[in-house]
Structure formats: structure tokens, C-alpha cells
Amino acid sequence: MSKQTKQKIAQIFKQQVEQKGFEHVSVAQLMHQAQMRRQSFYDHFEDKYDLLTWTLKTMMQDDIENNLDYLPWQEIITLVFFDIQENANFYRSILQSQTEVDVVKELAWHFQVLLLHVLKQKGFVKEAKAYDLIETYSLGLTYTMTNALFSPSAKEYDELAQKVINALEFALRT
């Protein structure tokens, strides 16, 4: 299956999750909507949890890893917060209705890639404490982002992103 086909299935998956909720999306419905054979799905994904993992990974790679050499890290963080807000119904559904895929861990892993990039630029790569910062900060950043999805008085994505950027800039002061 080509990457385009996987992306088509993932896009339909995201739409269905937003509309119906994760627990009400089936492979049969997805493939009917995609106008593809059901077996095509199973040729490349084990189940909808595998599709969820691939979808999250692809979304984060598009926002983070694909922009490391093109955008300042602050803009990447803002972009991710924007995309989370734009796909809020999708994220709320997958965070509330399934536990098989650790969404926070998956998102945090991609933030670790970003933070490692930032620390390399700052010359902190060989310091063990820098790696502790990466792991801890990535989880905190991800919880800040995902908790905002459920807050009745949630801040806008740019306010949250700026809070995260300010905290990281403070931590990196030397």
C-alpha cells in the first residue's frame, strides 16, 4: 500500500473518529468510505489501534521532524499546538475512549526529538541532565497540551504554546 493510500485511510479515520467517536469506528466502515477492499486495510495495518498509532506518528512527523531544518523550534511548538486544537475532537475521542495506544507517550516521543534538536543547537548534548530535561519536559508539555482539550476554560493554542516556549527558554538560560 502506498503512503498516499495509507494517508487516505488515516484521513477518513480521523473524520470518522471526530464524527462518531473512536469506539464507533470500524474497519469495515472505513474501507467502505475509502471505496477499498477490507483486505487492503489488513495488508498494512493490524487493526484500528495500529492505524491510530500510524496516524499519530505521521501527524507528529509532519509537524515536528519534517520542520526541524526549516522552522525555529518555537514555531514548531506553536504549529503542534495549533494542529492539536484544529483536531481537538479527534484527540478528545482517542484520549477518552481507548487505552491500548498511549497517546501521551506517542506525542511526547516526538517532542523529545524536537527538544534533543534544540539541546544539540545549544551545545548540551553530552550532559546527562539534559536528557532528564528532555524526558520530563516532553511529558509535561504533552500533558499541558492534552489537558487543555478537556478544560472548560481552555486557553487558545497560541497562549498555551507561548507558555511552553517561555518555560523552555527559562530552563535553557545559562
Side-chain angles (χ1 to χ4, degrees):
M1 182 181 296
S2 71
K3 184 173 180 178
Q4 282 183 318
T5 304
K6 284 182 168 183
Q7 288 174 329
K8 180 179 180 179
I9 293 170
Q11 185 61 36
I12 293 169
F13 173 68
K14 281 176 41 186
Q15 292 169 353
Q16 293 293 308
V17 168
E18 288 176 6
Q19 292 171 1
K20 300 177 181 182
F22 180 83
E23 66 277 6
H24 299 293
V25 173
S26 71
V27 171
Q29 292 169 339
L30 285 174
M31 298 314 287
H32 177 76
Q33 186 92 12
Q35 298 179 344
M36 293 182 214
R37 294 179 314 112
R38 187 175 172 170
Q39 185 55 45
S40 296
F41 178 91
Y42 291 110
D43 288 343
H44 299 281
F45 297 110
E46 291 178 26
D47 52 26
K48 70 180 187 177
Y49 300 100
D50 189 31
L51 172 58
L52 173 58
T53 301
W54 188 86
T55 301
L56 290 171
K57 178 181 176 184
T58 303
M59 291 170 71
M60 289 295 107
Q61 284 176 335
D62 287 347
D63 285 351
I64 296 175
E65 285 93 324
N66 294 349
N67 287 311
L68 288 176
D69 296 326
Y70 306 104
L71 295 175
W73 64 267
Q74 298 92 332
E75 288 182 31
I76 294 172
I77 288 175
T78 302
L79 174 63
V80 173
F81 273 79
F82 172 79
D83 281 350
I84 296 291
Q85 183 173 305
E86 284 293 301
N87 295 289
N89 290 338
F90 172 75
Y91 282 103
R92 275 195 283 278
S93 181
I94 62 174
L95 286 163
Q96 287 178 320
S97 60
Q98 64 83 40
T99 57
E100 286 80 357
V101 175
D102 187 342
V103 176
V104 170
K105 182 179 176 183
E106 182 66 34
L107 299 178
W109 187 88
H110 293 278
F111 279 115
Q112 288 178 16
V113 172
L114 173 61
L115 294 179
L116 182 58
H117 180 77
V118 172
L119 291 179
K120 282 181 183 178
Q121 290 177 330
K122 301 271 185 193
F124 295 128
V125 178
K126 298 186 180 184
E127 295 184 33
K129 290 181 180 181
Y131 290 100
D132 292 341
L133 171 72
I134 289 172
E135 183 178 353
T136 304
Y137 192 82
S138 295
L139 285 170
L141 185 160
T142 305
Y143 278 112
T144 296
M145 190 170 50
T146 56
N147 285 341
L149 292 169
F150 299 100
S151 174
S153 58
K155 295 180 179 178
E156 290 293 316
Y157 78 92
D158 52 344
E159 292 177 80
L160 286 171
Q162 191 59 54
K163 179 180 179 178
V164 167
I165 291 165
N166 292 343
L168 185 55
E169 286 174 342
F170 178 80
L172 293 176
R173 287 189 321 184
T174 54

